[in-house]
Amino acid sequence: MEQTSLYLVPTPIGNLADITLRALEVLKSVDLILAEDTRTSQKLLKHYDIKKPLKSFHSFNEHKALQSMIAQLQSGTVMALISDAGTPGISDPGFLLARECVKNDIVLECLPGPTAFVPALIKSGLPCDRFVFEGFLPHKKGRQTRLKLLAEETRTIVFYESPHRIVKSLKQLAEYFGPDRLASVSRELTKIHEETVNDTLEALGTYFETKVTKGEFVIIVDGKK
Ligand code: SAM
């Protein structure tokens, strides 16, 4: 069996205990850990007493760093890629490196583990047999076009959102999808202030408008009926 060269390792989305035994084993065994933010990852690695060389690999340098990473992998260095939280490649750096590994026949392994949209989807109570993951909506260019297109989507839709845009997005979703469309907002999953609110888009917009909107958010919207 060929030896894996690159491991994509999911890390906790809040609660530090949400890491698999295998993820810890892999992080302890590799030659080098590529991290989106080395300072953020240091906290996790320190917590689990993992001492490994760390290199930064984030969206601002991933294009540039790609070829040297591939060369290092080809020369036999075994690496793990981690992001700040959750699964690398899911609204996080990882896709470019994974694609390049596939192109270059470098053995790639992605461990199963934490990602924010799965618990949010299940907690929404909305159909999860078929769904679409949209990640972050475009901030400016293409936002309206995307919203118009998604208004017709019949499957459950998953969005990621930041605290600065949560109210704006909920209001816009109500505008494009209709105020009575069922939806769910999960905030701070696995953390102390975890909260999931299931209601119509209009009611959710009003609810979060009157609250201090801190934290990280996943919005789940019912498909068009
Ligand atoms: N790679 C991550 C994953 O697998 O879910 C996603 C990273 S993306 C840069 C960050 C976004 O994920 C946040 O803005 C939020 O939408 C979502 N997210 C991450 N952690 C979360 C949490 N604990 N609760 C709710 N949403 C979260």
Side-chain angles (χ1 to χ4, degrees):
M1 210 172 73
E2 283 180 289
Q3 204 205 329
T4 302
S5 294
L6 177 69
Y7 291 91
L8 269 70
V9 180
T11 54
I13 56 165
N15 188 324
L16 281 188
D18 290 332
I19 188 154
T20 67
L21 296 174
R22 189 166 163 229
L24 294 175
E25 255 171 45
V26 166
L27 291 173
K28 282 179 184 161
S29 74
V30 294
D31 303 315
L32 175 68
I33 299 176
L34 302 177
E36 187 182 6
D37 181 331
T38 51
R39 272 190 301 181
T40 304
S41 295
Q42 273 299 3
K43 287 180 206 149
L44 176 79
L45 298 174
K46 199 166 170 219
H47 184 81
Y48 286 104
D49 198 25
I50 298 170
K51 297 182 186 95
K52 285 284 165 183
L54 268 184
K55 203 166 186 162
S56 102
F57 188 82
H58 44 68
S59 45
F60 304 106
N61 77 352
E62 65 174 332
H63 278 93
K64 235 173 126 186
L66 211 53
Q67 288 319 317
S68 87
M69 291 304 144
I70 293 295
Q72 251 184 286
L73 288 163
Q74 281 170 331
S75 74
T77 308
V78 181
M79 299 185 195
L81 172 65
I82 57 177
S83 63
D84 287 354
T87 301
I90 301 297
S91 296
D92 265 342
F95 157 66
L96 292 179
L97 192 53
R99 183 176 65 180
E100 224 42 37
C101 284
V102 171
K103 272 193 205 160
N104 288 280
D105 287 327
I106 292 168
V107 187
L108 170 76
E109 180 96 42
C110 180
L111 272 55
T115 191
F117 76 85
V118 174
L121 177 62
I122 306 303
K123 289 180 79 176
S124 74
L126 294 168
C128 57
D129 52 342
R130 295 169 73 233
F131 62 90
V132 282
F133 177 75
E134 275 294 314
F136 292 98
L137 276 166
H139 293 168
K140 289 195 178 96
K141 199 167 170 278
R143 188 175 171 97
Q144 288 195 0
T145 316
R146 183 76 59 87
L147 284 166
K148 271 187 205 155
L149 196 80
L150 289 173
E152 300 305 312
E153 174 60 61
T154 55
R155 293 165 292 182
T156 304
I157 313 163
V158 180
F159 297 100
Y160 278 173
E161 199 44 278
S162 73
H164 321 289
R165 288 198 182 80
I166 183 71
V167 173
K168 178 184 170 189
S169 289
L170 287 170
K171 299 246 164 199
Q172 272 189 326
L173 287 168
E175 190 187 316
Y176 282 82
F177 293 20
D180 298 329
R181 183 84 73 98
L182 289 178
S184 171
V185 174
S186 278
R187 185 174 82 90
E188 296 287 80
L189 287 158
T190 79
K191 302 185 196 178
I192 296 167
H193 300 292
E194 171 166 352
E195 175 184 28
T196 293
V197 191
N198 300 328
D199 213 322
T200 62
L201 280 171
E202 187 176 46
L204 287 168
T206 309
Y207 177 81
F208 284 101
E209 201 172 29
T210 55
K211 279 190 71 134
V212 182
T213 46
K214 279 192 188 151
E216 302 191 276
F217 296 81
V218 183
I219 308 173
I220 310 287
V221 187
D222 199 8
K224 187 179 179 182
K225 294 286 176 276

